[in-house]
Amino acid sequence: MMNYKGILEAIYHEVKPLVGKGQIADYIPELAHISPRKFGMAVQTIEGELFTIGDAAEKFSIQSISKVFTLTMAMQLEGDRLWTRIGREPSGTAFNSLVQLEYENGIPRNPFINAGALVVADIILSHLGDARQSVLEFMRQLCGEAEIDFDHAVAHSERETGFRNAALAYFLKSFGNLNNDPTAVLDAYVHHCSLSMSCIEVARAGIYLANKGKLLGNDGRIVRANQAKYINSLLLTCGTYDAVGDFAYRVGLPGKSGVGGGILAVMPKKFSVCVWSPGLNASGNSLAGTKALELFTTLTGMSIF
Amino acid sequence: MMNYKGILEAIYHEVKPLVGKGQIADYIPELAHISPRKFGMAVQTIEGELFTIGDAAEKFSIQSISKVFTLTMAMQLEGDRLWTRIGREPSGTAFNSLVQLEYENGIPRNPFINAGALVVADIILSHLGDARQSVLEFMRQLCGEAEIDFDHAVAHSERETGFRNAALAYFLKSFGNLNNDPTAVLDAYVHHCSLSMSCIEVARAGIYLANKGKLLGNDGRIVRANQAKYINSLLLTCGTYDAVGDFAYRVGLPGKSGVGGGILAVMPKKFSVCVWSPGLNASGNSLAGTKALELFTTLTGMSIF
Amino acid sequence: MMNYKGILEAIYHEVKPLVGKGQIADYIPELAHISPRKFGMAVQTIEGELFTIGDAAEKFSIQSISKVFTLTMAMQLEGDRLWTRIGREPSGTAFNSLVQLEYENGIPRNPFINAGALVVADIILSHLGDARQSVLEFMRQLCGEAEIDFDHAVAHSERETGFRNAALAYFLKSFGNLNNDPTAVLDAYVHHCSLSMSCIEVARAGIYLANKGKLLGNDGRIVRANQAKYINSLLLTCGTYDAVGDFAYRVGLPGKSGVGGGILAVMPKKFSVCVWSPGLNASGNSLAGTKALELFTTLTGMSIF
Amino acid sequence: MMNYKGILEAIYHEVKPLVGKGQIADYIPELAHISPRKFGMAVQTIEGELFTIGDAAEKFSIQSISKVFTLTMAMQLEGDRLWTRIGREPSGTAFNSLVQLEYENGIPRNPFINAGALVVADIILSHLGDARQSVLEFMRQLCGEAEIDFDHAVAHSERETGFRNAALAYFLKSFGNLNNDPTAVLDAYVHHCSLSMSCIEVARAGIYLANKGKLLGNDGRIVRANQAKYINSLLLTCGTYDAVGDFAYRVGLPGKSGVGGGILAVMPKKFSVCVWSPGLNASGNSLAGTKALELFTTLTGMSIF
């Protein structure tokens, strides 16, 4: 049996010199306040065991990790029709590029670049009439706890300064690929990004991706097994900005990062893992977090490759 | 002495089969109502003579021709500092492309693509606190008449449907190349485009470009002689969307077209000319209008080349 | 124990209606002669068992599948220094695009686009003084048989008509990213692509990728275990042209396709599999072959996700 | 009557501090040997007068200025059919970019970027069976002297190191837009660029562009008057790399520059002028030469705008 606790301790020891290194995302003013010294990690196995280290219980802004969960909702709502409005290919360009969108007539390359997540938010809005409360409830269902919430200050901060996302939303609208008012879609989007969760909560929320689409125990099915597989394949090929190849090469797990410094990764049929440390590398992924995951797959000998 | 009247009649006769051909711009709903059968042309000489034919006295939506006049105001206000925020090179891409803007960090290639004109509107707004009334007054000064006005229905229609321009404005803002609120800049921009003027008025308004920067008679100076020369060179290299080379090749005059079907062209030291016919060719320039100008430079033997 | 034989028969039955559909690659004249009715498949397990169906013993032109093997040689020769000359990210553009190369100063995005494979060929040439015989010998070592050979008619045909590859080679040279004469590199490259092998041979040759870098039995190590893992991650993120996401989504295995209609795929710690059918889908991957692999992972329940 | 002599002297005085500034083109090794201290200028009027200053009689490598003359030959040979293989629009990208060519399926944007000039060379080769001697003879006809020649050392140097031009040629070939062997086209192209001429000779050679397509005196017609006009319009919109707008803005004449430091400019119905000084500005145009032409149009009061 895998000694996850020992492995987490070894990782913690080894990445410590990296914690505090890298850049804190400061383009969202509210995020710039966070201490760079934070590091937490939580492993949730499909057998129901939880292993943690460091600041694993501290809430942080999950930012783009939310794209995994909103995509999951959109797959529940739309099934494969989703793919007429969003592609499934790596973008080869920055996560907020408008170039790809122009060349490909308003179809975002995948659901994990910002343009794709805006379309996902639009879909949720169209189906459920609301894309804030419904997402909150979904997150609470995944985590099995009621206190998950948005950080309204972060959402507000991002809305006030996120001119590039506004450009993306209006650009999508100009191609007819948003059905709702761009301001409503942007409002939903920044709230999704502002979800405030701990490593423990994110790891628990993502366990259905390791568990063939189901929550643990008898807590029900989120998506079909093959849909969980599909989401994992998308995470691997598109989940870590323009460092997808590097992340697959070094970590070897499907994963999704956020500029808040969190990363959710999944080992199918085994575990989900969330790591958090605010300092980012040049690709916008957590510097210490990426290293921690790399050590994790090396030390456990578990990667999908 | 040039027989302009006879030449206009010959042109009218020859382009008649083309009038009604081409596409009416229908992306701005209000513009789609116009009759495609219209054709008017007016020549204003620097000696003060005016020659007209057809629907030369009928008002139309000057759309992008307004970019010539707002650029002129921005040159009055900023002088050469203007060129730190806008380039002076042909774009090589569509007039509303976001690609160029992304690759060149938010500096529009020239003042005649939409992004450039949005920056121009922003400059006017910053200097004068208002970019609607001030532009109206400038146009009234140029035309020497008080009744020039916006077509608010056209402005409203463009504002409601111009999602791509909104994308451009927010994109510029994200690069820090708008100082005002994007919604205020967009409001100003669509009003500029909605200016409703006749061929006679446009030709008269543009005469300073042929007259070394001055109005006719003793009506004063608009820009310095070398600034008028600069504007003409920009018109030639950037004034007709992505048909700049073709227009220079066929017509051989600095010119600016609008999707309302109007074209203003200038023969330095001789005349300004405005032609209007709503049907557009594949490049978005008036089909009959471009042909009329081509005939005009052939029959007068006057082109800058 | 998995009933591979029964699964292959079920696949064969189900894909039959697709065999003969799709386009045969005809841009290499010699490849256009092949019968579109071919279909073969071979599974090689790390326990040493071999399962086959259809035309699994018939030789075909492996084309870009060769890029897996030449990359492996380059990793043997250069180790991680390789990545200073080639990236590891999905390209987001066509396999033979020059655009990416221009924007990224002559560094190919990954070793599986043509530009990357040309650099790989250049590396082999520089180290071994020869990039034809050395590759043949490597392939014979992998397959454990002496009769693997190039199809010189195919190589010649591709050399005569491959102007775009020539453009890529000279473009790389202009950036200083080829050390040898472009004509020598092109000669090596087209020979690599012309390797003529059967499904059985390709599956056997690729088994080290499933077997932690080692040949079966006591036949030795090709690359280190972590290098095999790296190659698999590159295959998943970059191996199937601009259908990487779609292939990961549908098949869920690291794989490399060729325009000859072959696909090599790998299930780490389990098996390698090669399928061949000449008709290609819109992305340039074997139509029946992709479907066969999709069925294979569905029926075996084995995918990396 | 214009005091050209006095104006040239004034210019010479004023630009002296700039002579020697800027970068010498060193990507063609043979060009790197030239002294940066050279400056010459020659004005040829259509009345047959010649005015010179400085090193106006010294031969230099005309490089891309040759594109004006080979285009003229292609227009003689093909007329308007030429424009099915080459565009007439500003490129908006670097003179040797492959990006534009890929996006526009192998049709160069205009005849003055390298790709366009390669197609022009191909046309001459196809029509005349030779594109070296025929071009020499044409240049000798234009100059009225027999000793115009290629600089074979420069041609050889450019051929040996011009990998990017080779990439362009093979790329054009891959799109079917070269009819001859790329190596033959490249050989012709580098010879055209290697033409060694003085300012006096270049100005004289270009006089037909100012003189409605005719040589001076009774020496015959080179192209029709409207073809001369067309070439001038192309020079203005496409002749000075990606500084077309800036050159039109500052100089206001149709012109063509070369990396050897020469610039040919034309004032229709008045004169042709050639200036030479090897130091280049950031856009690849002669630094002192551009300034000299700017002063020339300011001091003569003659520009097309």
Side-chain angles (χ1 to χ4, degrees), chain B residues 88-89 92 109 236 245-246, chain D residues 88-89 92 109 230 236 245-246:
Chain B
R88 310 190 282 222
E89 294 300 325
R109 266 292 173 90
L236 196 92
D246 190 62
Chain D
R88 309 190 284 224
E89 296 298 328
R109 264 292 173 92
Y230 291 162
L236 195 91
D246 189 62

Side-chain angles (χ1 to χ4, degrees), chain D residues 101 134 140 158 208 213 249 251 256 268 301:
Chain D
L101 219 48
S134 61
R140 288 167 181 171
E158 187 165 356
Y208 66 98
Y249 191 94
V251 175
K256 183 78 207 79

Side-chain angles (χ1 to χ4, degrees), chain A residues 75 80 83 88-92 109 229-230 232-234 236-237 242-246 248-250 254 268-269 297 301 303-305, chain C residues 75 80 83 88-92 109 229-230 232-234 236-237 242-246 248-250 254 268-269 297 301 303-305:
Chain A
M75 289 179 81
D80 276 350
W83 308 118
R88 311 190 280 225
E89 295 299 326
S91 70
R109 264 293 173 91
K229 176 182 137 180
Y230 291 161
N232 287 335
S233 76
L234 285 166
L236 194 91
T237 54
D242 47 356
V244 156
D246 190 61
Y249 190 95
R250 288 172 56 197
K269 302 176 194 173
T297 52
S303 99
I304 63 171
F305 300 113
Chain C
M75 289 179 80
D80 276 350
W83 308 117
R88 310 191 281 223
E89 295 299 326
S91 69
R109 265 289 174 92
K229 176 183 137 181
Y230 291 161
N232 288 335
S233 76
L234 285 166
L236 195 91
T237 54
D242 46 357
V244 155
D246 190 63
Y249 190 95
R250 288 172 57 195
K269 302 177 194 172
T297 52
S303 97
I304 62 170
F305 299 113

Side-chain angles (χ1 to χ4, degrees), chain D residues 85-167:
Chain D
R85 292 179 59 187
I86 309 176
R88 309 190 284 224
E89 296 298 328
S91 69
T93 49
F95 67 101
N96 60 1
S97 171
L98 286 89
V99 168
Q100 178 268 325
L101 219 48
E102 180 160 330
Y103 285 140
E104 295 177 5
N105 299 309
I107 304 296
R109 264 292 173 92
N110 66 62
F112 298 140
I113 54 174
N114 291 15
L118 287 163
V119 173
V120 163
D122 183 65
I123 286 168
I124 296 172
L125 200 51
S126 292
H127 277 273
L128 303 179
D130 156 274
R132 286 170 54 168
Q133 192 58 30
S134 61
V135 168
L136 265 194
E137 280 162 18
F138 181 64
M139 296 313 296
R140 288 167 181 171
Q141 177 196 7
L142 291 180
C143 295
E145 45 180 299
E147 79 269 29
I148 305 289
D149 212 340
F150 301 127
D151 181 329
H152 293 282
V154 168
H156 185 74
S157 177
E158 187 165 356
R159 187 71 185 88
E160 286 305 291
T161 58
F163 297 117
R164 187 132 173 179
N165 284 332

Side-chain angles (χ1 to χ4, degrees), chain C residues 199-260:
Chain C
C199 287
I200 294 170
E201 290 164 340
V202 171
R204 193 179 299 159
I207 195 65
Y208 68 98
L209 294 172
N211 196 37
K212 301 183 176 181
K214 290 181 297 180
L215 294 177
L216 295 186
N218 296 316
D219 291 347
R221 175 167 297 289
I222 300 303
V223 285
R224 293 196 310 275
N226 69 338
Q227 289 180 310
K229 176 183 137 181
Y230 291 161
I231 296 171
N232 288 335
S233 76
L234 285 166
L235 288 172
L236 195 91
T237 54
C238 316
T240 41
Y241 306 123
D242 46 357
V244 155
D246 190 63
F247 191 85
Y249 190 95
R250 288 172 57 195
V251 175
L253 293 179
K256 183 77 206 79
S257 54
V259 293

Side-chain angles (χ1 to χ4, degrees), chain B residues 207-285:
Chain B
I207 194 64
Y208 66 98
L209 294 172
N211 196 37
K212 299 184 177 180
K214 289 181 297 179
L215 295 177
L216 295 186
N218 296 316
D219 292 346
R221 173 168 298 290
I222 300 302
V223 286
R224 293 195 311 275
N226 70 337
Q227 288 180 312
K229 177 183 137 181
Y230 291 163
I231 296 171
N232 288 334
S233 76
L234 285 165
L235 288 172
L236 196 92
T237 54
C238 316
T240 41
Y241 306 124
D242 47 356
V244 155
D246 190 62
F247 191 85
Y249 191 94
R250 288 171 58 195
V251 174
L253 294 179
K256 182 77 207 78
S257 54
V259 293
I263 308 175
L264 166 65
V266 174
M267 179 69 193
K269 302 177 194 170
K270 301 281 185 187
F271 59 78
S272 56
V273 53
C274 179
V275 63
W276 169 55
S277 189
L280 305 180
N281 64 21
S283 302
N285 297 313

